[in-house]
């Protein structure tokens, strides 16, 4: 059966459309002309081939209709509709011509177009071949266009932020002036320059090249994420960050100190403030205080400031989030902070210039400061005109101490946790059933009981020991030597005798104790050298340095004294008689000399 088969003879390929007795209706696949009837015997010289062989010769590849885009698929079906009424009359020349005329008139297109579509479909037998071909030809740039592109890259897409007019003028100066700086007769117009810019402009390249990657990530990058819930499906994802508060504080004597540093941990799911640290010192020190506050009993903590709260208002004592999300700050990437992972905590360092990935803590700072600012105007609060020319010096208004300000912060945090309405929280059906109120503390208390809650039980002592800085200690007969000081603990006699090293955690604020870490167990060693008791490491190092300097200052005197001593001994020994000593009657001789040298002690005292 030859119908619809492709046959090849040299570079000529035909497709058999119909067969009738000894005749066959074929269409030339290369020339794509009107089908014709030939004797079947003429096809014996042809061999069967595939659609791929045809595509190799014509360069036309057919795709499944489903792989076309919507526009191309729609056009292909419309063109097939125009030739569908002709297909039943392919074998009859007269009927085919009449059908072509009718279709051309009905669809208001030329008969030649109908024929082109028809022959093309008959050759490939695939509707997708009727789809319009995508033009991949790109016109090469002219010399003027290359110069415009060069000028845009050199003078427009850079940190100088030149205008298009400036970039155009500089292009004319560099590319369209003679050796004397005179403008040539032929040059692109400013309209051509603007047209080329608008035609080839890419906004991402524009923002990054002129304003920098940091500004692009912060202000121009497409925001297509699903919000914080995308990676915080339950409580236990804590977001950490620090900020300098917009207020000046004083000490108890009324002297200005400056602006304090606030460090906070916010649960990404519920928005609850798990803990905070307010201090004058940032870095790892503030992080250590923050994590201690996260695990602390908040009822007792607030009571120290004269504030009474219920346990449910801030119920996160004795636990820390299982995941801590931080930025690329040096304190967050430090080895000291990463030791918290020993408690089972996972630390995630966000890429730079992506503050929206920890938007919960960023929004907390914004809401917190906007809460107390209206009530502290004229008391050291910094206004938007800070550091502008002629602006008021807000340092002169300072009247609060850090204790006063921390008490205010606590009231604001309690409001933020237990009374601030969260409008856009994605409530689930179960939360509606359990009547969870739209407060951070209520959402936290409800979700922490769910199976997905990622919270780690711990206590303040364990956190403090885990975050202590570490060094190497050496065992010897003299005890455990750490930071040039000696420590002791009962039960380590064999270790002292065998020697060796160990990882030791130490408190830089008080060197009275250190802790040897073995298999995640902390063993306490006490200081042997009592003169260093209750001193900080800095004070001890100053004493050790002072001792070293004192010894070095008298080192020259000591050497001179040694030289003088050697000289005296040499002179005395030189004057001594040289000869053989009589070794007989040593005891009698010794007794006579003792009697001769004996002195009555009281003889000179009476």
């Amino acid at each position: 059966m030859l119908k619809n088969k492709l046959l090849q003879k040299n570079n000529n390929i035909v497709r058999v459309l119909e067969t009738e007795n000894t005749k066959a209706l074929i269409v030339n696949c290369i020339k794509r002309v009107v089908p014709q009837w030939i004797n079947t015997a003429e096809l014996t010289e042809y061999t069967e081939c595939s659609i791929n062989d045809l595509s190799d010769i014509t360069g036309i590849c057919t795709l499944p209709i489903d792989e076309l885009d919507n526009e191309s698929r729609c056009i292909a079906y419309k063109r097939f509709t125009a030739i569908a009424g002709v297909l039943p009359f392919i074998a009859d020349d007269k009927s085919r011509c009449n059908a072509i005329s009718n279709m051309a008139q009905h669809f208001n297109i030329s008969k030649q177009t109908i024929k082109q579509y028809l022959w093309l479909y008959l050759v490939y037998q695939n509707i997708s071949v009727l789809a319009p071909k995508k033009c991949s030809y790109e016109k090469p740039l002219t010399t003027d266009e290359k110069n415009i592109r060069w000028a845009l890259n050199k003078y427009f897409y850079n940190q100088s932020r030149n205008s298009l007019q400036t970039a155009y003028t500089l292009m004319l100066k560099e590319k369209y002036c003679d050796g004397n700086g005179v403008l040539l007769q032929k040059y692109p117009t400013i309209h051509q320059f603007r047209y080329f810019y608008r035609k080839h402009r890419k906004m991402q390249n524009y923002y990054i090249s002129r304003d920098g990657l940091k500004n692009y990530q912060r202000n121009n990058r497409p925001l297509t994420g699903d919000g914080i819930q995308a990676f915080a499906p339950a409580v236990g994802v804590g977001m950490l960050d620090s900020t300098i508060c917009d207020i000046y504080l004083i000490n108890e004597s009324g002297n200005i100190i400056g602006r304090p540093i606030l460090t906070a941990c916010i649960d990404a799911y519920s928005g609850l403030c798990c803990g905070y640290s307010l201090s004058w010192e940032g870095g790892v020190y503030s992080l250590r205080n923050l994590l201690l506050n996260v695990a602390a009993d908040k009822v007792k903590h607030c009571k120290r400031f004269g504030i009474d709260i219920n346990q449910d208002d801030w119920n996160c004592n004795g636990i820390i989030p299982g995941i801590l999300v931080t930025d690329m700050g040096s304190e967050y990437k430090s080895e000291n902070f990463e030791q918290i992972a020993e408690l089972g905590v996972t630390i995630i360092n966000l890429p730079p210039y992506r503050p929206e990935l920890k938007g919960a803590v960023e929004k907390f700072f914004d809401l917190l400061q906007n809460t107390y600012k209206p009530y502290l105007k004229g008391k050291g609060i910094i206004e938007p005109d800070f550091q502008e020319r002629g602006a008021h010096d807000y340092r002169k208004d300072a009247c609060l101490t850090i204790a006063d300000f921390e008490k205010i912060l606590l009231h604001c945090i309690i409001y933020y946790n237990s009374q601030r309405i969260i409008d856009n929280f994605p409530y689930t059906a179960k939360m509606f059933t359990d009547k969870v109120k739209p407060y951070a503390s209520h959402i936290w208390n409800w979700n922490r009981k769910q199976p997905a809650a990622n919270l780690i039980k711990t206590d303040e002592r364990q956190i403090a020991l885990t975050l202590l800085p570490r060094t190497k200690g050496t065992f010897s007969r003299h005890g455990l030597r750490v930071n040039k000081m000696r420590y002791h603990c009962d039960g380590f006699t064999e270790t002292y005798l065998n020697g060796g090293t160990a990882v030791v955690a130490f408190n830089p604020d008080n060197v009275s104790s250190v802790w040897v870490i073995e298999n995640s167990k902390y063993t306490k060693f006490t200081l042997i050298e009592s003169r260093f008791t209750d001193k900080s490491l800095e004070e001890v190092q100053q004493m050790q340095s002072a001792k070293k300097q004192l010894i070095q200052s008298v080192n020259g005197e000591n050497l001179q004294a040694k030289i003088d001593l050697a000289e005296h001994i040499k002179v005395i020994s030189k004057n001594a008689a040289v000869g053989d000593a009589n070794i007989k009657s040593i005891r009698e001789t010794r007794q006579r000399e003792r009697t001769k040298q004996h002195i009555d002690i009281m003889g000179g005292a009476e």
Side-chain angles (χ1 to χ4, degrees), residues 437-500:
K437 295 182 180 180
Y439 302 141
S441 59
H442 283 248
I443 297 171
W444 166 276
N445 292 333
W446 177 83
N447 193 257
R448 65 174 294 180
K449 300 175 184 177
Q450 305 303 315
N454 186 10
L455 300 172
I456 298 174
K457 292 184 178 180
T458 184
D459 54 49
E460 295 178 65
R461 182 181 181 277
Q462 190 174 17
I463 292 177
L465 289 173
T466 304
L467 292 178
L468 286 176
R470 298 176 182 179
T471 186
K472 185 173 73 171
T474 304
F475 288 104
S476 69
R477 291 181 57 199
H478 304 287
L480 174 65
R481 182 172 289 276
V482 180
N483 294 327
K484 300 180 181 180
M485 291 174 284
R486 297 186 300 125
Y487 294 85
H488 168 66
C489 179
D490 294 335
F492 280 79
T493 301
E494 287 298 320
T495 308
Y496 295 146
L497 297 177
N498 292 328

Side-chain angles (χ1 to χ4, degrees), residues 64-84:
I65 192 67
D66 295 336
E67 295 185 11
L68 298 178
D69 58 80
N70 290 338
E71 183 180 0
S72 298
R73 187 164 58 248
C74 178
I75 295 174
Y77 277 120
K78 286 183 178 180
R79 292 177 176 178
F80 179 75
T81 302
I83 65 174

